[in-house]
Amino acid sequence: MSEPMSLLQKKLEAGHFVVCSELGPPIGANVDFIKKKARKLVGYVDGVNVTDNQTAIVRMSSIVAAHFAREEGLEMIIQATTRDRNRIGLQSDILGASSLGLNNVLCLTGDHQSFGMDPGSKNVFDLDSVQLIRAVHNMVHKGVLLNGKEMKVPPKMFIGAAANPFGDPFEMQMMKVEKKIEAGAQFIQTQAIYNLDKFEYWMEEVRKRGIHEKAYIMAGILPAKSVKALRMMKTDVAGMDVPDSLIERMEKCEDPEEEGVKVAIEIIERVRKIEGIRGIHLMPVGWEKITPEIIERAGLYPRPEVE
Amino acid sequence: MIVGQQKKAEEIIKMLGEDWDSLLIAGCGTCVTVSLAGGEREVEALANLLKIYYGKKGKKVTISTDTVTRQCDFEFIDDIGEKIEDHDVILSLACGVGVQHLVERHPQKVVFPGLNTSFYGATTGVGEWAERCVGCGECILDRFGGVCPVARCSKSLLNGPCGGAQDGKCEVDDDIDCGWELIYNRLKDLNLLESLLVFEDPKDWQHYRDGGPRKLINKEYYNE
């Protein structure tokens, strides 16, 4: 096996159960905003994803925001969607990110622009996520660009992909995961999990196909602080599965924030026991300050060190 | 066929302005006749409406009508060549191709578009049309069970669905069928599901609009 590309890859290869979280860049050019958020995560996580204009809303670029967060001492995972940049822009950004010391990338298709505030914008989708994964793989491991041009100094990237265990039809979604791994994905971060029975069934299928032996799978955890947030996810977020029983539980509880933390910890405890799960990916959208508390209470603090 | 939709009367009236005395509304007898947007019937209806409008306003105008077989061929445009020259302005109810072809044949005339050219589509119900092809210039339907991922997936994905579809509907709109679910169902019926695992290379978009305006020459027939 080739040399690890990043600290995150080293930790996974050393057999550690990893903890990743997420940071949403600001709508604006506020560097302090990122640095402040980043400092609160230092020591609690093994990697931090920086979203790429999530839900198709203009924000500071994923790479630039990741660069500033990295300066505070975090291991970063940039996200790259194929919605906004063609093959020229995407590959150029991979080179730039690697040169900044950002050596993890999550390759995504991206939400359609109709979700955001610029539904009238032209979409790109020159590549799809599988093609992007293959392109980055060839850049990193073969030293060539999509056009065949060889590079003297190739980028270093640990390559990730997303998977939605709750997407339809099940079999086709599973085939897409296989395709992503075949194309070069080394880690998988899943859609947020609330329906554990369905997730366990998905993992069963993952193991049957040997996917868990070819890529590190991190379970997506989205702590919700209110019943309103859960309902919104159920109805407005593409590809989410939120069971009614959970909505009821949040409705009945006295302290929704505390209940939200408890739910997240319960999910973490359950997914940790599943064979093939190698870490978690916390996505506390709009509630990033809760990350350290959840990690501590889930018994995942302190984080391991690797050489 | 090319599917079109007539512009709203207010927009047409604003576009036409006041600087004319005679107007020819030119229909097209092929695609946009089928999509009930720019054929003889629509031409006559629009002419009546405009006559009432300008009549009420007290503007003295001549409004004539004619519909040719196809506005995308000079041969048919020439059937009404004199009539075009006799009028101050022309309102074409053809697709954008027809409008530009009129302009090319009658460079001194002002030609206005009366339609929005919507897409290449099929008739999917009474008064309903749906997009089926984007004219990418390099057909790949053989590999997708005869359902086009470029035209029918909102993101034109070639290697499988995104994670956003639910109950067979696209994340963009519940009225849009997930193109990839259509492909999946079709390949399943054909017992060809395994082909979904084949890696599809990035598409060469040069054959599409991205290579600049396209032109086609069939050497067998072409006269220089």
Side-chain angles (χ1 to χ4, degrees), chain A residues 71-97:
Chain A
E71 285 185 335
E72 299 305 305
L74 290 172
E75 168 81 353
M76 304 306 297
I77 302 159
I78 61 157
Q79 295 194 177
T81 69
T82 63
R83 178 193 58 231
D84 308 325
R85 284 163 291 171
N86 66 11
R87 64 192 80 179
I88 300 170
L90 284 164
Q91 292 181 103
S92 158
D93 279 353
I94 292 296
L95 297 179

Side-chain angles (χ1 to χ4, degrees), chain A residues 87 109-110 112 114-115 123 125-128 130-131 134 164 168-169 171-173 175-176 179 238-240, chain B residues 154-155 157-164 166-167 171-172 180 184 193 196-203 205:
Chain A
R87 64 192 80 179
T109 303
H112 191 268
S114 61
F115 276 78
N123 65 19
F125 301 119
D126 174 27
L127 303 181
D128 60 32
V130 180
Q131 291 162 346
R134 170 70 59 90
N164 184 2
D168 292 326
E171 192 182 7
M172 178 165 62
Q173 292 287 348
M175 289 170 104
K176 181 137 188 196
K179 222 168 169 176
M240 291 279 281
Chain B
S154 297
K155 300 174 184 172
L157 304 180
L158 298 180
N159 280 291
C162 71
Q166 243 159 5
D167 304 320
E171 69 175 30
V172 171
W180 269 98
Y184 171 81
L193 268 191
L196 282 177
L197 287 171
V198 177
F199 177 78
E200 191 71 31
D201 276 317
K203 195 167 167 60
W205 296 109

